[in-house]
């Protein structure tokens, strides 16, 4: 099969198909200028109006959101500041409590030390008293033993009355 | 166009393929008013549909703060022209040209898209009339904007006498600038759109004719999936071309307006 492609044979009346023709220009001009006028005065304004309203609404919402965000930011900042204050206050309370506890502890320790010192003094007094009592009971017996021992060493009778002062002196001042 | 394709694919004796003459692809019989300036044919119908369809779309779309359905489409178109055409080429101050640029975008797109709509299968912009009208509108607009922004003398000076050019070269450069700015810009706008859409239209017709011819030629029918797939692919491609050409035309118009507003470009 052969394909025969040939250009239009020019006839005597055939107009150039590339050139514009008056009737098409007329209808094209009528249509275009009508469309232009309709778009300008009828079709476009309401569309632009609603689009602008939407843009304005969106912008207003965005602005409101920005204000809310700003408010939230300032509230957060406020809360943060308050938190700092509360923390400082808490630290002060803790420090005060710690100082009070320290003072209480010092007071208690001091009182305890006083009690201990008093108890110690009492105990020492008791000991001294017991020691004095023991010494006073021990003197005659030691004097008797010392007199007996001295009598045997000297081979004569040493009276108890002469041994007693020596023994008392020694017991009262053993060093 | 189906009848045209069938006509074109009609076998002649030895089974050859007769491709329709170019005027048969782009010239359409009159519905009424034949021979007058009011002659109404398929191109006129598509031009009116390019007016009616966006009008109905805009009127039928709801105007609610939360868009849905058709309103999404309409607002997407407006938003696209606003951001991709006006803001990118002119800036926020170019929003006053939104009606013009949106009208150009819609008119070009709906004029183009009929290329792939069954029973029409013809882009209005594959004829020179509509691209010429739009290019003239763009031309008048950017000259008017330039004169309004800079005054007649200032606009002519900034358009024809670019700074930094040696005086000896100025006459030649001015001539080139004049041709470039005042002749080639509108010519380029019109021809770019017209040629792209005509080429796409011829491409689709070619593959349509080829599909029918291959279908009828028994030894070559095995090529049918290939030719048909190509036709489908090209149809999708032409949808994209329709959109891109609308975008390019409106963007270039915006660029020309922007250049006219500034003293030196």
């Amino acid at each position: 099969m052969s394909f025969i492609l040939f250009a239009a044979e020019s006839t005597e009346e055939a107009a150039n198909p590339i050139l514009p023709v008056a009737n098409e220009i007329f209808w094209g001009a009528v249509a275009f200028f009508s469309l232009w006028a309709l778009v300008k005065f009828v079709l476009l304004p309401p569309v632009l109006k609603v689009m602008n309203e939407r843009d304005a609404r969106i912008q207003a919402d965005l602005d409101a959101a920005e204000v809310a965000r700003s408010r939230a930011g300032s509230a957060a900042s406020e809360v943060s500041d308050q938190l700092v204050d509360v923390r400082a206050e808490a630290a002060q309370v803790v420090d005060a409590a710690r100082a009070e506890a320290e003072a209480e502890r010092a007071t208690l320790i001091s009182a305890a030390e006083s009690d201990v010192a008093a108890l110690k003094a009492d105990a020492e007094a008791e000991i001294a008293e017991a020691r004095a009592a023991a010494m006073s009971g021990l003197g005659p017996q030691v004097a008797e033993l010392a007199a007996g021992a001295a009598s045997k060493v000297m081979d004569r009778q040493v009276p108890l009355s002469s041994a007693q002062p020596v023994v008392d002196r020694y017991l009262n001042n053993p060093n | 166009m189906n009848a045209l394709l069938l006509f074109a694919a009609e076998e002649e004796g030895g089974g050859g393929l007769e491709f329709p003459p170019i005027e048969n692809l782009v010239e359409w019989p009159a519905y009424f008013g034949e021979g007058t300036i009011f002659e109404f044919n398929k191109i006129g119908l598509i031009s009116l549909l390019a007016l009616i369809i966006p009008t109905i779309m805009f009127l039928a779309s709801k105007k609610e703060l939360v868009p849905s359905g058709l309103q999404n489409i309409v607002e997407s178109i407006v938003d696209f022209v606003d951001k991709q055409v006006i803001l990118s080429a002119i800036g926020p101050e170019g929003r006053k040209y939104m009606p013009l640029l949106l009208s150009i975008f819609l008119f070009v797109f709906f004029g183009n898209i009929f290329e792939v709509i069954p029973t029409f299968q013809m882009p209005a912009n594959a004829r020179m009339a509509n691209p010429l009208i739009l290019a003239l509108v763009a031309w008048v607009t950017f000259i008017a904007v330039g004169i309004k922004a800079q005054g007649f003398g200032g606009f002519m000076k900034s358009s024809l006498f670019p700074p930094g050019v040696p005086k000896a070269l100025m006459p030649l450069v001015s001539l080139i600038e004049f041709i470039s700015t005042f002749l080639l810009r509108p010519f380029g706008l019109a021809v770019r759109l017209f040629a792209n859409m005509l080429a796409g239209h011829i491409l689709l017709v070619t593959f349509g004719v080829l599909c029918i011819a291959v279908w009828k030629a028994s030894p070559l029918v095995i090529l049918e999936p290939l030719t048909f797939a190509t036709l489908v692919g090209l149809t999708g491609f032409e949808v994209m071309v329709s959109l891109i050409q609308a975008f390019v035309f409106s963007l270039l118009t915006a660029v020309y307006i922007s250049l006219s507003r500034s003293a030196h470009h």
Side-chain angles (χ1 to χ4, degrees):
Chain A
M1 178 177 176
S2 63
F3 296 104
I4 304 168
L5 301 176
F6 61 91
E9 287 180 6
S10 58
T11 59
E12 46 283 356
E13 303 95 19
N16 189 336
I18 291 176
L19 294 177
V21 291
N23 63 307
E24 291 175 4
I25 291 176
F26 171 77
W27 287 111
V30 166
F32 176 71
F33 288 110
S34 302
L35 179 64
W36 188 2
L38 279 171
V39 165
K40 186 173 175 62
F41 298 111
V42 180
L43 304 179
L44 189 57
V47 175
L48 287 180
K49 183 169 175 268
V50 78
M51 288 174 78
N52 290 336
E53 279 176 6
R54 185 184 305 121
D55 287 348
R57 173 76 75 87
I58 290 169
Q59 192 56 50
D61 288 350
L62 285 174
D63 291 346
E66 184 60 32
V67 168
R69 199 173 70 87
S70 174
R71 278 183 189 159
S74 60
S77 172
E78 212 170 288
V79 167
S80 180
D81 291 346
Q82 286 176 352
L83 206 56
V84 168
D85 291 346
V86 167
R87 278 183 183 148
E89 202 173 323
Q92 282 178 352
V93 169
V94 167
D95 287 346
R98 187 173 289 147
E100 197 176 332
E102 192 64 32
E104 186 74 16
R105 188 174 75 91
T107 305
L108 288 174
I109 287 172
S110 174
E113 282 175 349
S114 300
D115 290 347
V116 167
L119 287 172
K120 188 180 172 186
D122 288 349
E124 281 176 351
E126 280 178 15
I127 290 167
E129 195 175 331
R131 184 182 174 197
M135 288 297 183
S136 62
L138 195 62
Q141 292 175 8
V142 173
E144 194 176 328
L145 285 172
S151 297
K152 284 191 178 171
V153 171
M154 296 172 64
D155 200 22
R156 66 179 182 92
Q157 191 66 34
V158 175
L160 185 59
S161 57
S162 56
Q164 187 66 48
V166 175
V167 169
D168 288 343
R169 197 166 56 240
Y170 176 74
L171 288 176
N172 289 333
N173 189 13
N175 297 322
Chain B
M1 193 177 79
N2 294 336
L4 184 68
L5 292 177
L6 289 173
F7 161 75
E10 206 171 84
E11 290 185 348
E12 285 184 350
L17 169 68
E18 182 181 346
F19 194 81
I22 188 74
E23 61 264 26
N24 286 16
L25 300 183
V26 295
E27 291 177 357
W28 302 95
Y31 297 144
F32 61 82
E34 189 170 0
T36 68
I37 197 174
F38 306 110
E39 180 178 316
F40 191 74
N41 59 12
K42 185 182 271 188
I43 303 302
L45 177 61
I46 294 169
S47 297
L48 284 189
L49 287 172
L51 157 69
I52 293 167
I53 293 172
T55 301
I56 291 173
M57 279 177 65
F58 274 69
L59 290 177
S61 69
K62 294 174 184 171
K63 309 291 182 294
E64 292 176 350
L65 278 181
V66 181
S68 61
L70 190 59
Q71 189 183 353
N72 272 321
I73 297 171
V74 167
E75 289 190 5
S76 297
I77 293 169
V78 174
D79 196 52
F80 177 79
V81 172
D82 182 48
K83 290 195 169 57
Q84 304 301 325
V85 176
I86 294 173
L87 292 181
S88 67
I90 307 175
E93 66 274 18
R95 285 197 164 114
K96 60 185 167 187
Y97 306 110
M98 168 68 96
L100 170 66
L101 296 169
L102 181 63
S103 302
I104 289 175
F105 181 83
L106 291 170
F107 195 68
V108 173
F109 176 72
F110 285 104
N112 289 345
I113 200 66
F114 280 93
E115 180 181 13
V116 297
I117 294 177
T119 74
F120 286 95
Q121 288 168 312
M122 171 70 197
N125 295 315
R127 299 288 286 157
M128 196 58 181
N130 286 0
L132 182 68
I133 294 162
L134 296 172
L136 285 174
V137 167
W139 184 71
V140 169
T141 303
F142 79 72
I143 289 175
V145 168
I147 291 171
K148 188 178 176 189
Q150 306 176 49
F152 182 79
F155 177 59
M156 286 300 158
K157 186 182 172 192
S158 69
S159 299
L160 302 180
F161 305 105
V165 177
K167 285 184 179 176
L169 287 175
M170 194 57 89
L172 180 63
V173 171
S174 298
L175 181 65
I176 292 170
E177 286 292 323
F178 176 79
I179 294 170
S180 163
T181 304
F182 295 103
L183 299 180
L184 288 184
R185 273 187 191 176
F187 184 74
L189 275 176
V191 170
R192 183 183 296 107
L193 176 59
F194 163 70
N196 269 291
M197 298 320 296
L198 181 61
H201 179 55
I202 292 173
L203 201 61
L204 289 185
V205 171
T206 302
F207 274 86
V209 169
L210 199 59
C211 278
I212 295 170
V214 169
W215 182 257
K216 288 191 170 183
S218 55
L220 290 174
V221 75
I222 54 169
L223 294 175
E224 186 66 26
L226 184 63
T227 55
F228 186 71
T230 307
L231 179 62
V232 171
L234 285 173
T235 303
F237 179 72
E238 285 304 317
V239 173
M240 196 174 68
V241 168
S242 299
L243 186 62
I244 288 171
Q245 286 304 316
F247 172 57
V248 167
F249 201 108
S250 49
L251 181 65
L252 284 176
T253 306
V255 168
Y256 294 154
I257 290 171
S258 176
L259 290 174
S260 294
R261 288 163 54 88
S262 56
H264 297 292
H265 49 80

